[in-house]
Amino acid sequence: MFYQLRDKLNRLNFSFACKKIYGTPPVLAKTDEPIAVLTLLQHKDVLLFLIAIKSFTKQVAIRKVIIINDGTLTQNDLETLKKHIPIVEIRDANEFSNNACPKGGCWERLLAIAHYVKEYYVIQLDSDTLTLSEIPEVKQQIATQTAFVIGTWDNQTIEPMNICSERVRKNVTLTPESHVQMLAEANFNKIDNVDSLNYVRGCAGFTGFPKDSFADSFVVEISQKIENILGKKWHDWGSEQVMSNIVVANINKSSVLPHPKYCDCTKIKTGTTRFIHFIGECRFKSGIYQNLVREVIIDL
């Protein structure tokens, strides 16, 4: 209860400080190429997403924005989104639910990407991200139809799944209550075709999927294999990020964006970082997010 109250107050302060985003130009299609941004959005993050999408599309030309409504968007939210993003298509999350996969926890987002990737290069962009300046690596990956993911450490690469699994088992003490990501990674070695699979400890919050790069059948197949190993634990929050990481790592052409040029808010390097994912633990902890947004709005 205390956390919810504090979060609400933080968001109110942030909204007041960053409300000038509503006075910036709308997001328009600036390319005929099949490039789309997709996100799963909830009511309380509408302002954040406007900041995320406007700062991103200042640097990268796209044709379409796809918003997956988690069920909490109000009529006013929908009108605001359509006003500021005329190229938006809004779909309900339950349209992409699959009984063969966990429900909620962003799984509908990944399955929606599997649907739209048939037509577009799809960029999953979380609402709590911010593009500070030019991001040429992302443009290059799109131009060459290469998948990308924001990484976790410097010089990170995509690696064989069994190597990741061995490292986790060696370095992490696990219990049944451990986070689902750790448990899944530790048990990758039990997947029957693990030797043919890759993995990356990335972040689903900013990920690129080339056109025709994967299908929902791959998601279902691997998800069911892991659920057979972990049981109901696989339905915990965080399993979708594991699955997203698996998908990206097993696309024919894929890479990890250079870190900390692209990083989360705990690893910002002044003068180097150009794209930031403001994860929950530091989103409103200091004034960094708010101050950077103010600078971005001026630039917009």
Side-chain angles (χ1 to χ4, degrees):
M1 181 176 178
F2 176 74
Y3 170 80
Q4 292 177 335
L5 178 60
R6 184 177 61 183
D7 182 67
K8 186 175 183 178
L9 289 173
N10 285 335
R11 286 175 179 273
L12 285 173
N13 290 333
F14 182 88
S15 298
F16 180 78
C18 302
K19 63 182 180 180
K20 288 185 178 180
I21 191 67
Y22 295 116
T24 58
V27 176
L28 303 175
K30 295 183 179 179
T31 180
D32 292 327
E33 294 297 314
I35 304 167
V37 166
L38 185 147
T39 197
L40 176 70
L41 192 60
Q42 58 183 335
H43 165 70
K44 65 180 181 178
D45 289 336
V46 170
L47 171 67
L48 271 64
F49 183 67
L50 289 180
I51 295 166
I53 189 65
K54 289 190 176 187
S55 65
F56 178 75
T57 54
K58 180 176 175 60
Q59 305 300 335
V60 178
I62 66 169
R63 188 201 291 182
K64 188 183 190 71
V65 175
I66 303 150
I67 291 176
I68 309 302
N69 179 1
D70 79 335
T72 65
L73 295 181
T74 66
Q75 185 60 38
N76 185 61
D77 292 336
L78 299 177
E79 291 172 1
T80 297
L81 291 165
K82 290 174 183 177
K83 175 183 177 181
H84 286 270
I85 315 172
I87 57 173
V88 72
E89 178 181 345
I90 302 174
R91 303 282 295 272
D92 289 334
N94 58 19
E95 295 181 59
F96 302 99
S97 182
N98 188 317
N99 291 331
C101 294
K103 297 182 186 299
C106 296
W107 275 89
E108 290 78 12
R109 176 181 70 184
L110 182 57
L111 292 167
I113 293 170
H115 171 80
Y116 281 99
V117 83
K118 298 171 187 175
E119 301 178 60
Y120 299 94
Y121 186 110
V122 179
I123 301 155
Q124 152 51 31
L125 184 76
D126 267 8
S127 57
D128 54 357
T129 59
L130 186 64
T131 308
L132 301 179
S133 58
E134 293 184 355
I135 44 176
E137 294 84 1
V138 171
K139 292 182 179 180
Q140 177 67 15
Q141 305 306 60
I142 295 171
T144 58
Q145 288 295 300
T146 303
F148 68 78
V149 63
I150 188 170
T152 310
W153 57 80
D154 295 357
N155 303 312
Q156 187 178 358
T157 59
I158 291 167
E159 61 187 2
M161 183 178 276
N162 52 17
I163 289 180
C164 169
S165 186
E166 181 181 359
R167 182 172 61 244
V168 174
R169 293 195 305 275
K170 180 179 178 181
N171 296 309
V172 180
T173 301
L174 297 169
T175 69
E177 289 71 40
S178 294
H179 191 278
V180 65
Q181 182 167 4
M182 293 298 182
L183 287 172
E185 291 173 354
N187 285 279
F188 283 160
N189 64 310
K190 297 176 183 177
I191 298 176
D192 54 21
N193 59 333
V194 64
D195 291 337
S196 65
L197 295 172
N198 294 322
Y199 186 69
V200 58
R201 175 75 73 79
C203 175
F206 187 51
T207 313
F209 303 87
K211 186 174 180 291
D212 291 321
S213 57
F214 78 103
D216 58 1
S217 57
F218 177 78
V219 175
V220 170
E221 176 189 357
I222 301 299
S223 175
Q224 289 185 330
K225 288 183 177 182
I226 298 177
E227 184 169 1
N228 287 338
I229 297 167
L230 298 185
K232 292 183 179 179
K233 185 70 178 181
W234 184 234
H235 290 250
D236 281 7
W237 174 268
S239 62
E240 181 270 345
Q241 175 156 278
V242 177
M243 191 67 241
S244 178
N245 289 339
I246 294 172
V247 169
V248 170
N250 288 282
I251 290 173
N252 186 39
K253 292 171 63 179
S254 57
S255 67
V256 184
L257 295 172
H259 188 277
K261 193 171 185 178
Y262 303 78
C263 66
D264 69 46
C265 49
T266 66
K267 301 166 185 175
I268 297 171
K269 187 174 181 180
T270 303
T272 298
T273 301
R274 298 192 179 188
F275 182 96
I276 307 168
H277 183 204
F278 282 90
I279 57 178
E281 65 184 81
C282 58
R283 187 175 305 153
F284 303 120
K285 193 173 183 179
S286 69
I288 294 176
Y289 188 17
Q290 182 173 300
N291 292 336
L292 288 175
V293 168
R294 282 172 165 168
E295 293 177 15
V296 165
I297 290 174
I298 291 172
D299 198 33
L300 288 171

